[in-house]
Amino acid sequence: MNFPTHPPQIPILTAALIASTLFYASPALSQEQESEAPAQASPAESSTVQTVLPDSEDAPPPQDRYKRFDDLSLKGWAITYPRVADTILADHGGVRDALADIGIGISPINTANFQYDFLQNDRGYKGPQLYNGQDITRTNTTVSLTATYDMGMIGIKGGQIATTFSLVDNSFPEVNGPKKLRIGRLHYYQSLFHDRVDFKVGYIDNTQEFLGINVGGNLATGNLGPQATIPFQLGLSYGGFAAPGFNARVKVGRHLYNKVGVQRSLPPGGATAENAVNPGGFRFHPPGTGVLVIDEVGFNSPAARGEKSIWIRGGGIYNTTKFDTFDGARSTNWATFIAGDKQITQPDPQKPARGVYVGATFNYAPPRQNLYTQYYEGRVYAVGMLKGRPFDLASLVTTFNKYSPAGLRTRTAQGEENYRATWALIASYAYRVRPGIYLQPGLGVTVHPTYSPRFGTALNGYLSLVTMF
């Protein structure tokens, strides 16, 4: 996600991450021959709303050897949390076993994303970098460690304490946010009434709590394509930049739910502004921040034998923080969103999550105080369509971002022209190298990569690497 240069300098940590990936990637076994296929919890076992794309449709029996670790995984997400079977370490070495014996679960997850514009249609521009891919850009590197504690160990069934520390880095902080070691979350989670109600309170990262921004609802394979900045432009907390808040979800029947969140807003300007007033991440109410409320209503029916999945969600965001408007005043802020995903083919009823899906997203924010005012996304993606590769995901995502006319006028000199929208089409293939390692190359066309008419169409190459230990 981008918020409003320099050649990338890949840190030693990233180099080590890539080296470890190459070490663990051999041999790359056929996925259907692997005995350690990730398991998906049943609705009764999972506290999350099931997504249109579960982590695996080849689910072993509930008594599988990883269940005790998955029961300690982070709870409350809108998508299914990655399974321990789909990690590099799994239960090798006895570390997870020893920690599970005292109620502790651990989840190290690392991501690295790169982008480069092969066409370089800059008409001789020699100034600083203005957009991702103008130079070889490391748009994001995140090294995180999540630890949880099962409150059932002291008699509080359904309770969990969770914390995450994240090292967030990139080669273009002017657009992608500051480089920082911060608290990613520190909260208490509780489920009630047989998981019909759950809540979370503390320092919360709401990226995976609302909206469903990952293609197919999958953390490891759904990273390339979406470019929805509006919710985070409004101050919603996101990966690496948690904020104090309270989330509560109520499930009605098997598929309906309503989830509401109340959090301290990030200040106008996103992560860069937040880091300036709250560098450690623990400050409860920095200056220039107010209260952000988000509400999402959804219908989620996961794939089952003979039943194709569907996930529809929508809602609104309201922020009491005063944002500078483009006409010189100050105002509170708001946005609306709606999204849907539908499975259209199910070639193997025995593995119901495999197939082709379609989806769409729309976001709106008022143009008086928001540079990005309208966002449209359409997506087509296929899960496990190649023989022997049930965990791969192929996707084609198109996006359209419309700028505020008033916002553009404040960013360009009088008499200069500018583009009023950006359109992109990105194709990618997420390849599961082995459990816990996903490599996702992509290729995309971006018309008007920035609003300046100096720059022509970009042809971007993408590469995403996700490693889960």
Side-chain angles (χ1 to χ4, degrees):
M1 62 197 68
N2 300 338
F3 285 94
T5 208
H6 310 290
Q9 296 177 350
I10 301 176
I12 295 175
L13 202 54
T14 302
L17 183 153
I18 294 173
S20 68
T21 298
L22 295 176
F23 174 79
Y24 282 107
S26 181
L29 300 175
S30 170
Q31 295 184 57
E32 290 199 321
Q33 294 175 338
E34 293 168 359
S35 60
E36 299 180 358
Q40 178 180 343
S42 69
E45 296 165 340
S46 173
S47 61
T48 65
V49 175
Q50 297 299 300
T51 62
V52 296
L53 175 57
D55 287 324
S56 170
E57 59 286 323
D58 300 322
Q63 65 271 20
D64 74 275
R65 67 196 243 207
Y66 300 108
K67 184 179 184 300
R68 69 190 300 244
F69 308 127
D70 290 332
D71 287 344
L72 294 170
S73 293
L74 188 67
K75 300 183 185 299
W77 275 15
I79 65 175
T80 305
Y81 197 77
R83 301 302 180 193
V84 170
D86 197 16
T87 62
I88 295 171
L89 295 179
D91 62 347
H92 302 310
V95 175
R96 277 196 166 97
D97 276 303
L99 291 173
D101 288 342
I102 57 174
I104 295 175
I106 57 169
S107 180
I109 300 178
N110 307 322
T111 64
N113 299 307
F114 303 87
Q115 181 175 337
Y116 181 67
D117 174 13
F118 294 115
L119 294 183
Q120 295 292 304
N121 285 328
D122 58 10
R123 299 177 175 87
Y125 175 77
K126 300 300 182 185
Q129 183 176 354
L130 300 176
Y131 62 89
N132 282 329
Q134 185 179 358
D135 296 331
I136 298 176
T137 307
R138 181 165 42 84
T139 57
N140 174 56
T141 299
T142 302
V143 179
S144 65
L145 173 63
T146 296
T148 65
Y149 178 72
D150 177 15
M151 296 295 288
M153 300 293 289
I154 58 173
I156 305 176
K157 185 178 180 180
Q160 182 188 77
I161 295 174
T163 186
T164 300
F165 281 90
S166 300
L167 174 62
V168 182
D169 193 17
N170 66 83
S171 68
F172 188 19
E174 289 83 352
V175 165
N176 299 307
K179 308 174 183 182
K180 198 66 183 176
L181 175 64
R182 284 176 59 100
I183 181 174
R185 62 176 57 85
L186 177 59
H187 60 64
Y188 177 79
Y189 168 89
Q190 181 68 56
S191 66
L192 302 166
F193 311 118
H194 303 286
D195 287 338
R196 294 298 179 186
V197 176
D198 61 64
F199 70 85
K200 186 174 291 187
V201 61
Y203 285 80
I204 302 172
D205 156 20
N206 273 323
T207 310
Q208 307 297 348
E209 301 275 342
F210 296 91
L211 303 161
I213 62 173
N214 294 84
V215 177
N218 190 293
L219 182 68
T221 62
N223 297 316
L224 291 185
Q227 300 177 42
T229 62
I230 285 177
F232 308 102
Q233 177 182 253
L234 254 78
L236 189 70
S237 61
Y238 60 94
F241 293 88
F246 174 83
N247 293 344
R249 176 173 51 196
V250 178
K251 302 174 186 176
V252 182
R254 293 179 57 200
H255 306 304
L256 285 172
Y257 68 92
N258 183 43
K259 187 170 184 178
V260 63
V262 181
Q263 64 154 91
R264 189 265 292 165
S265 168
L266 299 190
T272 300
E274 166 78 8
N275 187 61
V277 296
N278 186 22
F282 289 99
R283 196 170 183 182
F284 188 81
H285 183 49
T289 62
V291 176
L292 181 146
V293 180
I294 179 171
D295 185 66
E296 177 178 311
V297 178
F299 178 92
N300 193 315
S301 177
R305 186 176 303 178
E307 296 182 14
K308 300 181 180 72
S309 76
I310 182 170
W311 185 21
I312 301 172
R313 62 271 187 204
I317 304 172
Y318 179 75
N319 193 344
T320 67
T321 305
K322 297 296 185 180
F323 284 67
D324 291 332
T325 64
F326 300 123
D327 56 10
R330 291 173 65 79
S331 174
T332 58
N333 211 347
W334 60 273
T336 59
F337 60 90
I338 186 169
D341 289 85
K342 179 72 173 72
Q343 185 178 10
I344 60 174
T345 71
Q346 192 178 73
D348 185 355
Q350 302 300 319
K351 299 171 182 177
R354 297 193 194 183
V356 176
Y357 296 74
V358 295
T361 297
F362 171 71
N363 297 169
Y364 175 83
R368 187 177 177 224
Q369 66 268 46
N370 297 286
L371 177 61
Y372 296 95
T373 183
Q374 295 179 42
Y375 175 77
Y376 303 83
E377 178 184 317
R379 51 193 173 269
V380 179
Y381 50 100
V383 181
M385 297 304 289
L386 295 181
K387 183 177 176 61
R389 305 215 53 83
F391 308 111
D392 292 358
L393 182 144
S395 66
L396 184 66
V397 180
T398 182
T399 61
F400 182 85
N401 270 294
K402 185 176 180 181
Y403 299 110
S404 159
L408 289 177
R409 286 195 294 270
T410 66
R411 286 166 168 75
T412 54
Q414 187 173 3
E416 288 189 7
E417 296 182 353
N418 49 55
Y419 295 128
R420 298 190 176 185
T422 295
W423 174 81
L425 179 68
I426 300 174
S428 68
Y429 188 88
Y431 180 86
R432 186 182 188 243
V433 179
R434 55 155 292 153
I437 302 175
Y438 288 84
L439 191 65
Q440 186 174 11
L443 187 66
V445 175
T446 302
V447 179
H448 308 155
T450 185
Y451 48 77
S452 170
R454 173 187 289 272
F455 300 94
T457 298
L459 178 64
N460 290 308
Y462 301 87
L463 183 64
S464 174
L465 173 65
V466 177
T467 53
M468 299 178 292
F469 293 87

